[in-house]
Amino acid sequence: AHLFHTKYERVWRYVQKFSEWMPNDHRVRGMVDDFEGTPRLVPIPPTQATVNALFPDADIRSEDDMQRWYARQRVSPPSKDGEPRNGEEAALSRVGPLLYERIFKHYTKKQWDKYPAELDASVLLRLPCRVSTDDRYFGDPWQALPVRGYTRLFENMLLSDPRITVKLNVDFFERRAELPAFRKLVYTGPIDAYFKSHGLPPLEYRS
């Protein structure tokens, strides 16, 4: 499913020109083993409820409690400058070993086809460290679905403007020389194909 969400009011105002929208707050639950090895269905990204379900001794009751729990869990990178050298060190410095081993390590392998230790630190430094009870997957203020679907949304966006020409079944890389002059080009195809067209090797991780 495609889930529309944005933190920008101007974007939200713009898309409302082309469709009616229904509110949609996306929530994700994962089956994760608790400290005794018992599977628990918990919110992901982790919230106060996630930590309390997996580690009852944590007894998180407020955002301050959650901040202190994270502070106790976090592991500083072993490098002299304190900077993580790979994704695993970055993750441990963000969420600590308990959440890392139970959630982020294997989730990263599933998403990227690489374990965190094989990825650059910047990838895992983006890990969400939520301290609230908000269990929505996205924290953006505007989250919704187009009432008549995305096909109708894009038809309304593209077909109503005479300045826009839609061409289907066209290979961008074969026909790019035929494009009219432009100030800015937005490419939305497979990222590997784009890099390949510039003579670069395939990405080493799943894209």
Side-chain angles (χ1 to χ4, degrees):
H2 297 281
L3 309 167
F4 177 86
H5 57 100
T6 181
K7 62 181 180 180
Y8 299 108
E9 185 177 2
R10 63 182 177 84
V11 173
W12 177 235
R13 289 200 308 265
Y14 176 73
V15 297
Q16 288 185 89
K17 298 177 181 179
F18 307 104
S19 176
E20 297 178 62
W21 295 82
M22 67 176 77
N24 177 73
D25 290 327
H26 185 56
R27 289 175 168 83
V28 173
R29 298 291 184 272
M31 194 67 75
V32 181
D33 289 347
D34 67 10
F35 73 109
E36 292 180 330
T38 303
R40 304 283 185 186
L41 196 62
V42 297
I44 295 176
T47 64
Q48 293 181 27
T50 307
V51 173
N52 284 331
L54 299 179
F55 317 108
D57 288 348
D59 193 26
I60 306 296
R61 302 187 182 189
S62 68
E63 293 188 4
D64 286 342
D65 285 348
M66 192 71 167
Q67 291 278 22
R68 285 190 288 269
W69 187 85
Y70 272 128
R72 291 193 299 270
Q73 293 297 314
R74 288 174 175 140
V75 178
S76 298
S79 59
K80 290 183 179 180
D81 60 6
E83 295 295 325
R85 294 293 187 262
N86 57 53
E88 181 171 270
E89 291 181 6
L92 291 172
S93 72
R94 292 279 289 161
V95 300
L98 294 181
L99 288 178
Y100 171 71
E101 290 291 339
R102 283 169 172 77
I103 297 177
F104 293 108
K105 179 178 181 179
H106 304 289
Y107 181 79
T108 301
K109 172 65 173 175
K110 179 180 178 181
Q111 291 295 105
W112 295 78
D113 199 25
K114 283 184 176 289
Y115 283 109
E118 302 174 88
L119 293 171
D120 188 80
S122 62
V123 177
L124 278 297
L125 283 173
R126 298 177 295 181
L127 285 183
C129 295
R130 294 192 177 166
V131 297
S132 69
T133 57
D134 184 356
D135 64 350
R136 297 175 302 164
Y137 192 78
F138 303 108
D140 297 315
W142 292 283
Q143 304 185 41
L145 293 174
V147 170
R148 293 175 180 81
Y150 286 98
T151 299
R152 181 67 61 84
L153 168 68
F154 284 104
E155 286 176 347
N156 292 340
M157 293 176 72
L158 301 174
L159 302 183
S160 61
D161 190 331
R163 298 170 297 178
I164 296 176
T165 300
V166 177
K167 293 186 178 182
L168 304 177
N169 301 314
V170 174
D171 188 313
F172 167 77
F173 301 105
E174 292 179 358
R175 306 288 293 275
R176 64 189 302 179
E178 302 172 20
L179 291 173
F182 55 83
R183 287 187 300 174
K184 182 179 292 185
L185 173 69
V186 178
Y187 172 80
T188 61
I191 190 79
D192 269 358
Y194 182 80
F195 288 134
K196 182 180 178 180
S197 74
H198 288 273
L200 297 172
L203 294 173
E204 63 181 45
Y205 45 80
R206 180 183 293 151
S207 61

